């Protein structure tokens, strides 16, 4: 006797092969809806994401960004790349201002990265790096836009030159890296492999903090999705962008019983995959108990979209933070936090491109490998 899960996945595939290609797409989509409806017993009535009032709601990964039909028509970039079926599954990192797109790029986020030295550097290394960069970012050379970074560069020099202050600052930096993203820095490069056209703007992203490990997407689109950590008790992840064709990928997204797979803009994919590293992954059994109503503990509340939006917000408010804590005088900092990280990144991204290329060639090369914020739209 086949299990319920085996019946769920073999029936649509076998039935689909008996149909002509012209009717196969409609049949797959209809059977995918039936499979989602059948999963209601597994998720105790919440697998389709319906609230008590009968209105479709998002799972615990956070609310989907509402977009009206008019917004899609007015936004030519989205209208070109999103089909009617894909629009429902599109989500983006919210930006409050038009220039927030520049905050999605890779940038130094602490004084060690700003000076380009390791955490075990000594005073001589700090002095040498400071003198080299000071000639690049001085406002008389780079312009008025370099003034915030010149101030932070003076603060970095004052902080890291003294052995005692440098040791105290190093401890907070290392703790911050471990706590948020396991020591990984944001280099602007996506984690998933890119197998699509260079002009393609669409990308697929899985919110692993909400994934229940049902393997629906992996079984249907194995060239795009993989199970990480453990095949039987892990989470799904998009490891290869456009590993499968558009139809197969779209149906795999629709088969997710908790709606944790999204179409996203390719320019936002590196930041989302980076922010995913800092999200807590709850035990799948605890998540199942919560959906069934047998557990009263709240969800972890962390999701990659919220983390990414927090990074953008901290970078936007960076200069105000420096002025608030008195960094305008180049005073040393005895600790590192997320606000200072956002301030450093914001000031660095405000530099002219030529200054960044000259002073930080490694960081600039990392950003050059990413697609432009507004690449030419393509179709697949």
């Amino acid at each position: 006797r086949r299990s319920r899960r085996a019946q769920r996945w073999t029936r649509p595939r076998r039935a689909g092969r008996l149909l002509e290609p012209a009717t196969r797409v409609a049949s797959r989509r209809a059977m995918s809806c039936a499979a989602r409806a059948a999963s209601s017993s597994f998720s105790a009535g919440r697998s389709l994401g319906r609230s008590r009032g009968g209105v479709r709601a998002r799972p615990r990964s956070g609310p989907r960004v509402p977009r009206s039909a008019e917004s899609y028509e007015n936004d030519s970039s989205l209208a070109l790349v999103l089909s009617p079926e894909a629009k429902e599954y599109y989500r983006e990192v919210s930006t409050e201002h038009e220039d927030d797109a520049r905050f999605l790029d890779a940038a130094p986020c602490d004084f060690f990265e700003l000076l380009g030295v390791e955490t075990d550097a000594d005073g001589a290394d700090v002095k040498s790096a400071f003198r080299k960069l000071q000639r690049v970012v001085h406002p008389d050379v780079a312009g008025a836009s370099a003034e915030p970074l010149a101030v932070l560069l003076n603060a970095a020099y004052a902080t890291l030159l003294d052995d005692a202050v440098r040791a105290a600052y190093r401890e907070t930096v290392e703790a911050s890296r471990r706590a948020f993203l396991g020591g990984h820095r944001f280099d602007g490069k996506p984690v998933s492999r890119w197998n699509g056209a260079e002009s393609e703007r669409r990308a697929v992203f899985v919110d692993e903090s909400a994934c229940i490990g049902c393997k629906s997407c992996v079984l249907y689109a194995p060239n795009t999705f993989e199970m990480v950590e453990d095949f039987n008790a892990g989470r799904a992840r998009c490891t290869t962008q456009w590993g499968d064709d558009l139809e197969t990928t779209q149906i795999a997204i629709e088969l997710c019983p908790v709606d944790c797979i999204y179409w996203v803009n390719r320019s936002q994919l590196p930041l989302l995959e980076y922010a995913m590293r800092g999200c807590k992954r709850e035990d799948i059994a605890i998540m199942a108990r919560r959906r069934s109503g047998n557990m009263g503990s709240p969800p972890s509340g962390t999701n990659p979209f919220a983390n990414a939006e927090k990074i953008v917000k901290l970078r936007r408010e960076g200069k105000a933070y420096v002025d608030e804590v008195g960094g305008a005088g180049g005073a040393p900092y005895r600790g590192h936090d997320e606000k200072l990280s956002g301030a450093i990144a914001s000031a660095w991204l405000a530099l002219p491109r030529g200054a960044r290329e000259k002073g930080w060639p490694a960081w600039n090369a990392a950003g050059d490998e990413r697609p432009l914020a507004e690449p030419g739209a393509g179709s697949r």
Side-chain angles (χ1 to χ4, degrees), residues 129-379:
F130 171 76
R131 289 177 177 176
K132 176 183 176 181
L133 294 174
Q134 187 65 22
R135 292 193 293 267
V136 176
V137 302
H138 195 279
D140 294 341
V141 177
S145 60
E147 182 178 352
L149 189 68
V151 171
L152 285 170
L153 199 63
N154 291 331
Y157 177 71
T159 301
L160 302 184
L161 186 62
D162 184 86
D163 293 341
V165 178
R166 182 175 65 251
Y169 180 79
R170 180 174 59 244
E171 291 182 2
T172 58
V173 168
E174 293 176 346
S176 177
R177 292 178 180 179
R178 289 193 303 267
F180 184 53
L181 299 167
H184 299 276
R185 74 176 188 181
F186 178 46
D187 57 6
K189 300 177 182 178
V191 178
S192 55
R193 298 182 296 273
W194 185 260
N195 195 41
E198 287 304 318
S199 60
E200 179 60 66
R201 295 189 62 188
R202 293 167 294 185
V204 178
F205 176 73
V206 180
D207 180 1
E208 299 173 30
S209 64
C211 178
I212 60 175
C214 69
K215 299 191 286 288
S216 304
C217 57
V218 177
L219 294 175
Y220 202 89
N223 296 324
T224 299
F225 301 97
E226 294 181 10
M227 297 297 293
V228 295
E229 299 172 2
D230 188 297
F231 182 78
N232 294 318
R235 312 298 175 97
R237 178 180 297 172
C238 179
T239 56
T240 303
Q241 299 290 336
W242 295 105
D244 295 279
D245 58 82
L246 176 59
E247 174 195 340
T248 301
T249 304
Q250 178 62 36
I251 295 177
I253 292 175
E254 295 178 2
L255 287 175
C256 177
V258 292
D259 291 341
C260 67
I261 310 177
Y262 304 91
W263 288 106
V264 298
N265 194 305
R266 184 184 176 187
S267 63
Q268 296 185 353
L269 181 64
L271 181 61
L272 286 170
E273 291 180 336
Y274 171 76
M276 185 68 247
R277 298 176 184 268
C279 295
K280 179 182 178 181
R281 292 166 176 79
E282 292 185 303
D283 186 87
I284 295 177
I286 295 178
M287 297 170 64
R289 288 182 60 188
R290 182 179 296 110
R291 289 192 305 275
S292 66
N294 293 331
M295 188 173 183
S297 64
S300 63
T302 59
N303 70 83
F305 290 92
N307 281 355
E309 290 166 3
K310 182 178 181 180
I311 293 173
V312 173
K313 180 180 179 182
L314 290 172
R315 291 183 173 188
R316 186 192 313 121
E317 299 173 349
K319 187 176 184 304
Y321 168 76
V322 174
D323 296 339
E324 176 184 351
V325 299
Y333 289 78
R334 293 187 174 274
H336 183 80
D337 55 21
E338 293 177 339
K339 291 185 177 181
L340 179 57
S341 176
I344 296 172
S346 176
W348 187 85
L349 291 170
L351 281 177
R353 185 176 182 85
R356 283 185 283 170
E357 291 177 349
K358 185 176 181 180
W360 295 265
W363 282 97
N364 186 70
D368 286 345
E369 294 185 10
R370 296 185 56 238
L372 298 177
E374 294 295 336
S379 58

Side-chain angles (χ1 to χ4, degrees), residues 14-49:
R14 292 183 177 179
R17 294 193 187 102
L18 300 177
L19 300 176
E20 294 298 325
T23 59
R24 192 172 298 168
V25 174
S27 175
R28 284 179 178 176
R29 202 169 302 285
M31 284 184 288
S32 69
C33 294
R36 287 162 61 88
S39 65
S40 59
S41 60
F42 172 71
S43 58
R46 296 187 60 187
S47 62
L48 293 180

